[in-house]
Amino acid sequence: MLLITGAAGFIGGNFVHHWFAQRSEPVLVLDKLTYAGNAQTIAEFLKPGVCELVQGDIGDRALIARLLAEHRPRAVLHFAAESHVDRSIHGPGEFIQTNMVGTFSLLEETRAHWSSLPGAERDAFRLLHVSTDEVYGSLRETDPPFSETTAYAPNSPYSASKAGSDHLVRAYHHTYGLPTLTTNCSNNYGPYHFPEKLIPLMILNALEGKPLPVYGDGLNIRDWLYVRDHCEAICQVLDRGRPGETYNVGGKNEIRNIDVVTTICRKLDALQPRASGRYDELITYVKDRPGHDRRYAIDPGKIEREIGWQPAETFASGIDKTVRWYLANGAWIGGVHSGAYRQWLQLHYGEAAAPMAGAA
């Protein structure tokens, strides 16, 4: 079985869906169920002996030790993280605690468990750490994409905390021999995305007739990766990745933020037109956020060469699936549109910009 941290969140939840679409091996989910964790995302799989959910913190070492001892997973997949840049600017402490201290606690207990395993079981064990391209900092327009040898240069409390967790994972492999794997992905999008990030918020704001706030000049560039492509990459790295190695996972879709927004508007114009006017008439430029990285791009050459993974979705096909999913899943969306979520947006961005796009 697998122990998966943070699998009630966006990428982890999609990973559970992807896993059970092709495999029957059971999973144990550990999730703190904070504002972005939603058990409904994986509710259809929650059955004894198939997929079990434990609400808890990766920083709770006694809990981690107990789960490892009782369930003896063959691998730990570590998705759990605070991941929203804007939130890290307003409250960096939670990011340091979860992403760095929490990862340290998980590593310590996993190392102790791994060390106690018998030979063959010990040799087969893996810890796969899911990280981000933001640890590499910002690219200029003419710079080559990030590779696994790009120097770390994080520019936000979020990316700095993820860089710290990456370094810890690397150190535990090189110091203790813990068989770790690390993936650094570009911007994910797709179903079950909490509506504080750019794509889901633009979809939902548009449908509600609210402003579509775009940071700065809207020319910041991101490499967009459909989340199920990312999940398949993780499966393949778990199966065939070399312990101690890092694999960059990118969608080969470098797109300006404003072009992402206008693409969503055109898609909604076709699928669910407004009563009057076009959706792009709602676009509103707002003050840029502090330290906003200009460009991210991933070179996925290593994972392509060594493992054979390639993205299946273009941005055109992926965004079509994403918009259609949000149009068809009002119940899930309603479940995450809580009063607490709206209060947080108003506190940080004011009435006029709530809900506000967490521009990637």
Side-chain angles (χ1 to χ4, degrees):
M1 72 171 303
L2 306 181
L3 170 60
I4 310 179
T5 73
F10 168 48
I11 301 176
N14 272 282
F15 181 85
V16 171
H17 281 260
H18 186 76
W19 182 258
F20 285 118
Q22 56 184 338
R23 310 194 190 195
S24 59
E25 185 177 3
V27 302
L28 176 68
V29 171
L30 174 65
D31 199 292
K32 195 175 179 180
L33 296 180
T34 59
Y35 76 96
N38 185 351
Q40 288 301 309
T41 297
I42 56 172
E44 66 188 271
F45 306 108
L46 293 177
K47 302 171 187 176
V50 177
C51 179
E52 298 183 47
L53 171 64
V54 175
Q55 183 174 2
D57 192 332
I58 57 171
D60 185 343
R61 292 180 59 172
L63 174 61
I64 296 291
R66 178 174 65 80
L67 294 177
L68 290 169
E70 289 180 1
H71 296 273
R72 297 178 70 88
R74 70 173 179 92
V76 174
L77 274 61
H78 181 33
F79 292 89
E82 294 285 346
S83 65
H84 190 214
V85 174
D86 290 356
R87 286 181 182 265
S88 81
I89 293 170
H90 291 283
E94 291 182 32
F95 288 73
I96 302 302
Q97 188 63 38
T98 296
N99 298 352
M100 293 183 67
V101 178
T103 298
F104 163 72
S105 298
L106 180 67
L107 285 166
E108 277 287 274
E109 294 306 323
T110 302
R111 176 171 69 95
H113 170 73
W114 167 75
S115 298
S116 71
L117 295 174
E121 198 173 340
R122 189 173 187 267
D123 292 343
F125 185 87
R126 298 289 184 269
L127 183 146
L128 193 154
H129 170 62
V130 180
S131 191
T132 172
D133 60 356
E134 295 196 36
V135 299
Y136 299 121
S138 183
L139 292 170
R140 294 169 297 187
E141 184 175 350
T142 57
D143 288 339
F146 301 130
S147 73
E148 290 80 2
T149 59
T150 301
Y152 276 34
N155 290 321
S156 70
Y158 160 61
S159 57
S161 67
K162 287 297 289 184
S165 68
D166 290 7
H167 291 323
L168 283 170
V169 171
R170 174 184 170 85
Y172 270 66
H173 172 74
H174 286 276
T175 301
Y176 304 112
L178 185 66
T180 63
L181 301 157
T182 297
T183 57
N184 292 85
C185 67
S186 57
N187 279 49
N188 280 221
Y189 68 100
Y192 302 106
H193 207 172
F194 190 79
E196 66 183 355
K197 300 295 181 76
L198 178 64
I199 287 177
L201 260 177
M202 288 299 169
I203 295 170
L204 299 181
N205 271 22
L207 293 174
E208 295 175 10
K210 294 181 178 180
L212 307 181
V214 176
Y215 278 133
D217 59 10
L219 301 183
N220 302 73
I221 295 172
R222 299 295 182 261
D223 175 17
W224 291 96
L225 173 65
Y226 189 64
V227 66
R228 297 297 174 88
D229 280 341
H230 184 198
C231 293
E232 177 58 24
I234 291 169
C235 288
Q236 294 189 27
V237 171
L238 180 64
D239 289 343
R240 297 190 290 278
R242 291 184 290 132
E245 291 295 311
T246 293
Y247 297 90
N248 281 356
V249 186
K252 298 183 177 181
N253 292 301
E254 286 190 58
I255 305 173
R256 301 181 305 176
N257 284 348
I258 186 61
D259 295 331
V260 171
V261 176
T262 55
T263 297
I264 291 169
C265 290
R266 290 195 300 271
K267 184 65 61 177
L268 288 172
D269 284 335
L271 295 174
Q272 190 164 310
R274 297 180 69 195
S276 61
R278 303 186 315 272
Y279 285 103
D280 62 10
E281 295 169 358
L282 300 172
I283 293 173
T284 304
Y285 289 91
V286 298
K287 181 180 178 182
D288 210 353
R289 76 177 177 210
H292 197 181
D293 289 337
R294 192 63 170 173
R295 172 178 169 244
Y296 303 146
I298 281 279
D299 175 4
K302 180 178 177 179
I303 192 173
E304 291 176 350
R305 291 188 306 272
E306 293 193 9
I307 294 178
W309 173 88
Q310 292 207 20
E313 302 291 346
T314 65
F315 186 73
S317 64
I319 199 64
D320 182 74
K321 290 181 178 181
T322 301
V323 171
R324 290 178 185 275
W325 187 89
Y326 278 93
L327 290 175
N329 285 272
W332 185 90
I333 293 164
V336 299
H337 261 119
S338 68
Y341 167 62
R342 292 182 183 277
Q343 289 166 13
W344 187 91
L345 289 168
Q346 291 168 5
L347 173 64
H348 291 281
Y349 298 115
E351 295 286 344
M356 170 67 181

